[in-house]
Amino acid sequence: MPHDVPWFLGTLVIIFAAAKLLGALAQRLGQPAVLGELLAGVFLGTSVLGVVDSQEHVLHLLSEVGVILLLFEIGLETDLQALLKLGGPAAAVACAGVVLPFALGYGVCELLGLGQRAAIVAGAALTATSVGITARVLSDLGRLQDPESQVILGAAVLDDILGLIILALVEAMEAGEPVTVLGILKVAALAFGFIIAALVVGRFAIPPIFRRLGKKPGTITMAAVMLAFGLAWLANAAGSALIIGAFAGGLLLAFTDVVHEAKRGVAHLGYFFVPLFFVVVGAAVDVRVLNPFNPANHSTLVVGGLLIVAAVVGKFLAGYAPFWFKGKKSVIGVGMIPRGEVGLIFAQKGLSTKVLDTGQYCALTLMVMVTTFLAPPLLRWLLPPHPQSRQQREGIDELVSEA
Amino acid sequence: MPHDVPWFLGTLVIIFAAAKLLGALAQRLGQPAVLGELLAGVFLGTSVLGVVDSQEHVLHLLSEVGVILLLFEIGLETDLQALLKLGGPAAAVACAGVVLPFALGYGVCELLGLGQRAAIVAGAALTATSVGITARVLSDLGRLQDPESQVILGAAVLDDILGLIILALVEAMEAGEPVTVLGILKVAALAFGFIIAALVVGRFAIPPIFRRLGKKPGTITMAAVMLAFGLAWLANAAGSALIIGAFAGGLLLAFTDVVHEAKRGVAHLGYFFVPLFFVVVGAAVDVRVLNPFNPANHSTLVVGGLLIVAAVVGKFLAGYAPFWFKGKKSVIGVGMIPRGEVGLIFAQKGLSTKVLDTGQYCALTLMVMVTTFLAPPLLRWLLPPHPQSRQQREGIDELVSEA
């Protein structure tokens, strides 16, 4: 019985300890804590120490709770009005950030002679930004309120919806089904419709509900959790993404008069669940693919290397798409670089339908891995921590301390 | 795929909503909230609505985290000195509370002609108090600091250790191994040795460690969680019980100067995890066994009914064992009545080794169920909520609110 209660408790203690230690070490070196947590995952993962199996069911579920709570927290910190005001630049970044990486990735694969279907899957895997990593870095640096950060958040949310539409297209293509304009429009309408409906209905329904709940911390915290999980569930059921529902929930709760109590309660749950997400993401990395002395890895490293260039250049250039936006466009581009779960989903689908071989699958994993690890130090370099706040991740930590 | 992330989120929302609603309803009716949470579990369980399967792996693990955090919170609220001062009465209650129910249960089974081995298993299942239920009721009533509550807590902890020793004996008997005095002494020495060693070593080691951690809420909360989980793991590895390690961790953390921050952080995690425990306990109840119109249930109801009398009378009388203790002895006896996990473990072992038939197994489940549901209203009746505190569960809630 490797999966009994003592195993579970022991594994959690090791994960928390490693995440906290390497997170603190990263901060000492002037890097965001999340970089240390990702590295903790790599060390604990199956390819090094073998303590954390990123495929393990319970850890996977809890890590998803972590990213849902994180996006909910980010939503709580976000001003919907400001986000909508920056909707134009965000939409430009999102669209360019899908078209450019797809075109570059497709081109690289065609150039290397991988075949059209593999090129489409690889191009698609380059499109979706992992908003979790960037949002956490911006939060670590106390920069969530900057206009650049708002553009990144907005673009990443749109980008996730576009990624889902592309996923539906690729799945239809793989299944040999005809891809119709009507089908695309239906998927898009559902995904965008959900977030608009949730925000419009919730803007009026949520504040009175929370006003009636009183101020007991247990009630507020659990009502906030139910809102986050419930909207995540609903978003998924409507064909949108879980984290988009959670983000919408945070945006809505920001309109209530218990936002302060809710932030404190969710932050405490976040201390538990959020590091689990980053450790599990790190644990999915197979460092053996990186060994250049193994000839079997050579073609993976070449394909992976070119895909990384396509991924970085594509998203970086997308940051300059809103040419009228007066902000640091380089920050936006870099903030869009990390790929995460969605990229891996494309890779796994490609592998399971045999469109990709194992080497190509590893090349895509390599791309996800490198872009994820590249963004935190690059963002930190372009964007010094907020001057008023020397401690890190204080958007949330300070709110909890001052209470 | 019934066990994916949306399923998980949806199930959690339903559990939290039902627990909160029925908990609030129980409070309106002057009952402890935990009674409503248990009932929520019964309704959601496999025998009624079928939303929560108490055997489901993830929910089981998270519910165990709930009871571990609960015992850790109770430990944080407990004064070790006061507990030790009441060690005599607690030991008397614990010993009488093992001997009397065992003798009565064994007698009932022999009387009904169930055979000696079944009588031993049934008697053993009557011995172990479920400290989680009683501790939560006392906390709900704001009565954790009363001397009677301290005797109950001390006795329940000792009782859990005695239960583990009896479990080892019964297992050896079932396996046909010889039961030696040396073997018993070894199990007892390990179980008692762990808690003594943990308290003696921890009393000196824990406060300086926590002093060095600073005051950031995220750090304190997660250090407290690691202490709770780590000691629970260690206790289990040493042959003691998980919840005893967690309780010891709480006792130790009470000596540090961050006890206030730790209480607040752990309370927020408790809002999430603790109701899961009570809902899963409730969900294990199969209400179909209670149907008196089904003739197949008659012998189960007779055996179960007599075992319930033995269970209630045995523990109630044990409350009077410390004849020199000047407190409400009836409260102590009633506080020891609920049986939980350990009783079910005996029943399951008996069923899997075919010492018990299905009807006898259901009779023991019935006993666990009724004693669990009987204790909260009885305690509430004997022990009105603390006069200074009209709101419920405030030992913890107030600490969080006042912060």
Side-chain angles (χ1 to χ4, degrees), chain B residues 237-251:
Chain B
S240 193
L242 290 166
I243 53 172
I244 289 179
F247 181 69
L251 288 175

Side-chain angles (χ1 to χ4, degrees), chain A residues 17-387:
Chain A
K20 206 79 197 163
L21 277 176
L22 289 184
L25 190 69
Q27 290 184 317
R28 284 274 168 92
L29 300 174
Q31 294 299 325
V34 66
L35 195 64
E37 296 177 8
L38 287 167
L39 277 172
V42 174
F43 287 125
L44 296 177
T46 27
S47 71
V48 187
L49 295 175
V51 176
V52 174
D53 175 2
S54 64
Q55 303 287 313
E56 207 283 324
H57 188 54
V58 180
L59 294 179
H60 171 69
L61 289 180
L62 296 188
S63 78
E64 288 290 316
V65 169
V67 72
I68 283 165
L69 287 176
L70 176 66
L71 266 286
F72 185 67
E73 284 188 87
I74 304 292
L76 271 169
E77 298 284 331
T78 305
D79 178 356
L80 179 59
Q81 255 82 40
L83 197 67
L84 289 177
K85 221 174 277 166
L86 294 168
V93 172
C95 292
V98 164
V99 173
L100 290 175
F102 183 89
L104 287 172
Y106 184 89
V108 161
C109 292
E110 281 284 9
L111 210 73
L112 295 170
L114 264 56
Q116 198 193 5
R117 292 181 68 202
I120 290 177
V121 173
L126 293 191
T127 56
T129 292
S130 166
V131 59
I133 306 275
T134 295
R136 172 68 192 276
V137 174
L138 295 172
S139 167
D140 277 358
L141 300 174
R143 289 284 193 179
L144 268 179
Q145 314 303 338
D146 290 11
E148 289 86 354
S149 302
Q150 302 284 319
V151 172
I152 294 173
L153 280 182
V157 165
L158 292 174
D159 192 281
D160 247 344
I161 301 179
L162 294 176
L164 287 164
I165 296 169
I166 295 170
L167 187 63
L169 292 183
V170 172
E171 275 177 346
M173 187 195 78
E174 308 255 291
E177 290 166 16
V179 177
T180 64
V181 177
L182 202 72
I184 299 174
L185 283 178
K186 200 183 134 202
V187 173
L190 267 176
F192 283 102
F194 165 77
I195 191 158
I196 293 166
L199 289 178
V200 170
V201 174
R203 178 69 186 82
F204 295 96
I206 299 295
I209 293 174
F210 274 78
R211 213 171 296 131
R212 296 195 57 186
L213 289 177
K215 289 265 185 184
K216 279 173 75 176
T219 310
I220 300 295
T221 302
M222 290 317 293
V225 166
M226 283 188 260
L227 178 66
F229 290 8
L231 276 181
W233 183 89
L234 208 61
N236 176 269
S240 192
L242 289 167
I243 54 174
I244 289 178
F247 181 70
L251 288 175
L252 287 172
L253 197 58
F255 289 111
T256 66
D257 48 4
V258 292
V259 56
H260 191 82
E261 290 81 359
K263 271 182 191 169
R264 196 178 346 145
V266 176
H268 276 101
L269 291 174
Y271 299 142
F272 187 99
F273 287 105
V274 176
L276 290 176
F277 173 70
F278 294 108
V279 168
V280 168
V281 167
V285 170
D286 187 344
V287 290
R288 288 166 298 198
V289 175
L290 294 177
N291 179 5
F293 300 109
N294 183 349
N297 292 340
H298 287 179
S299 85
T300 300
L301 287 172
V302 169
V303 178
L306 287 174
L307 283 179
I308 289 166
V309 174
V312 171
V313 171
K315 287 286 184 186
F316 185 75
L317 290 181
Y320 289 86
F323 52 88
W324 65 95
F325 175 71
K326 288 182 193 51
K328 262 190 154 179
K329 298 186 185 69
S330 57
V331 168
I332 299 175
V334 169
M336 299 295 288
I337 287 177
R339 311 300 201 282
E341 322 79 72
V342 181
L344 291 175
I345 291 171
F346 279 107
Q348 268 155 0
K349 285 210 180 291
L351 185 69
S352 65
T353 53
K354 299 208 166 58
V355 171
L356 302 178
D357 64 28
T358 317
Q360 293 159 355
Y361 169 77
C362 286
L364 280 177
T365 318
L366 188 65
M367 179 279 296
V368 168
M369 187 168 120
V370 173
T371 54
T372 298
F373 278 88
L374 210 58
L378 277 180
L379 267 181
R380 167 69 187 74
W381 176 61
L382 285 170
L383 203 64
H386 195 277

